[in-house]
Amino acid sequence: MRRTFWRLAVLGIVLFSFPGLAQAEKAYCDLKIEKTVSPSPLVSGQQAVFTIKITNVGTDACPGPTYVVDSGAPGLAFVSASGPGWICIGQTCTYLGSILPGGSATLTYTYTVIASPGASITNCAEVRNNNDRNAANNRVCVSSKVVALPGRCDLTCSVKVSPDPLIAGQPATFTVTVTNVGNAACSLSNQVVVPPISGLSFVSASGVGWTCTQVGGQVICNYPGTIPSNGSATVVFTYNVTASLGTTINFCSNVANKDDTNPGNNECCVRVPVAAGNCDLVCGKKIEPHPVAAGYPVTITVQNVGDSPCPGPTWISDAGITGLTFVSASGPGWTCVGSTCSYAPPSRPAERSR
């Protein structure tokens, strides 16, 4: 009888000391919030991304909705918030799905840093879910210093062409403007390189402060001076258009500097068609001296003011002048029969007279 009593007593102690043997612990939802920021330190005038991770460290699922509110901070200007499965309105985001034990949901907040260098910013966020049994891990804050944007040289370029369209057989100029869009000067080794271009024959290149040479078909121009932030330097390339009427010329140039931090914007191009141009002849008549004296010539000048050559022949006929008697007509390159003359070579650029 005593032995049975002691056996029952020991069993009672065991059940009292380990209640889990009698009843399993109830599962629970427990959301934990974590936050990181990039870059760190923050850079004045630039954007910063705060990444928030919500993890269920409990033993039961956390059904939606789950809310996250990021409070921002003085010195930060809100830009956007988003994440897979999240619906964000302003700085409040809602996750309608269920977060299983060990599972997580991530979202990001983007701000522009408007604080001055030297400031310190603390940004906090909270997570809420009506099923969460532990509020102690529902709030998180990160602090970061604000620094100035590091100095960087960043060259880009633009190109303008004249005339547009190009005229077959005529010269054309391509004006390349090199601009420093960085926040620090670009010094010593600024360079523009134009590769060989089909349909164009190089003539010259020049610009204030630039030294240009043609090497193996490509044209290389160096600017040893300093291009300050938001400053620019211009160089002009002249070519003869050898391409045929109806074709298109693709002119590209590349800029470089050994300190350039952004090579992605170093090329600039322009596509321009080749046209025939226009022949436009004008003529003028001059009689000297005044008043008219016997034996002095009448000079007629024919000039092409168009943008394309005027192929020969070119004819001119003088109807005479009352009070004057025709004697003869002549001029370099002209063939005259009576008062009618023809000129076979192109009349541009030289002016011709008779």
Side-chain angles (χ1 to χ4, degrees):
M1 190 72 180
R2 289 180 179 179
R3 183 174 299 175
T4 301
F5 171 79
W6 284 111
R7 286 176 178 174
L8 291 174
V10 171
L11 178 61
I13 293 173
V14 171
L15 291 175
F16 180 78
S17 300
F18 301 97
L21 297 177
Q23 182 178 2
E25 181 182 4
K26 184 178 180 180
Y28 61 93
C29 158
D30 183 4
L31 293 180
K32 175 184 177 182
I33 184 170
E34 299 172 287
K35 174 184 278 193
T36 58
V37 60
S38 178
S40 183
L42 304 174
V43 179
S44 181
Q46 303 297 299
Q47 288 191 344
V49 177
F50 294 82
T51 300
I52 294 176
K53 182 178 181 181
I54 307 300
T55 303
N56 182 2
V57 295
T59 58
D60 196 9
C62 296
T66 297
Y67 303 96
V68 169
V69 178
D70 191 276
S71 59
L76 295 178
F78 176 72
V79 176
S80 63
S82 63
W86 292 90
I87 300 172
C88 297
I89 301 177
Q91 291 162 257
T92 299
C93 294
T94 305
Y95 189 82
L96 299 177
S98 181
I99 303 177
L100 301 177
S104 62
T106 301
L107 69 159
T108 59
Y109 285 80
T110 301
Y111 291 88
T112 297
V113 182
I114 58 176
S116 300
S120 180
I121 291 179
T122 298
N123 172 255
C124 298
E126 293 185 64
V127 60
R128 296 194 303 269
N129 185 300
N130 290 337
N131 301 285
D132 195 339
R133 284 181 47 183
N134 177 21
N137 56 2
N138 290 168
R139 178 179 169 85
V140 66
C141 298
V142 292
S143 297
S144 185
K145 293 287 186 181
V146 178
V147 298
L149 180 67
R152 58 188 178 88
C153 158
D154 184 4
L155 292 180
T156 187
C157 65
S158 61
V159 57
K160 294 183 178 179
V161 58
S162 178
D164 185 1
L166 302 176
I167 306 301
Q170 297 300 299
T173 59
F174 298 83
T175 301
V176 176
T177 300
V178 180
T179 303
N180 179 10
V181 295
N183 65 335
C186 298
S187 303
L188 301 178
S189 60
N190 305 293
Q191 188 176 81
V192 174
V193 177
V194 178
I197 300 173
S198 178
L200 295 179
S201 176
F202 175 70
V203 176
S204 65
S206 63
V208 178
W210 292 89
T211 301
C212 300
T213 56
Q214 187 178 25
V215 180
Q218 66 179 359
V219 183
I220 301 174
C221 293
N222 292 291
Y223 185 83
T226 295
I227 303 178
S229 176
N230 298 317
S232 61
T234 299
V235 57
V236 179
F237 297 83
T238 302
Y239 290 83
N240 283 327
V241 180
T242 59
S244 302
L245 170 67
T247 58
T248 299
I249 297 296
N250 186 31
F251 178 94
C252 290
S253 65
N254 293 273
V255 297
N257 184 294
K258 63 180 180 62
D259 297 321
D260 194 335
T261 59
N262 179 24
N265 60 355
N266 288 166
E267 183 181 61
C268 53
C269 298
V270 61
R271 289 177 59 84
V272 58
V274 178
N278 297 302
C279 160
D280 185 5
L281 294 179
V282 296
C283 67
K285 179 180 287 188
K286 180 172 64 174
I287 303 176
E288 289 183 342
H290 293 288
V292 176
Y296 285 87
V298 176
T299 301
I300 299 176
T301 300
V302 179
Q303 183 179 7
N304 179 6
V305 296
D307 53 17
S308 181
C310 296
T314 297
W315 288 277
I316 187 166
S317 182
D318 189 82
I321 302 174
T322 302
L324 297 180
T325 301
F326 175 75
V327 176
S328 64
S330 64
W334 292 91
T335 301
C336 299
V337 178
S339 60
T340 300
C341 299
S342 64
Y343 184 77
S347 59
R348 184 180 183 181
E351 296 180 356
R352 305 298 177 186
S353 63
R354 74 172 183 90

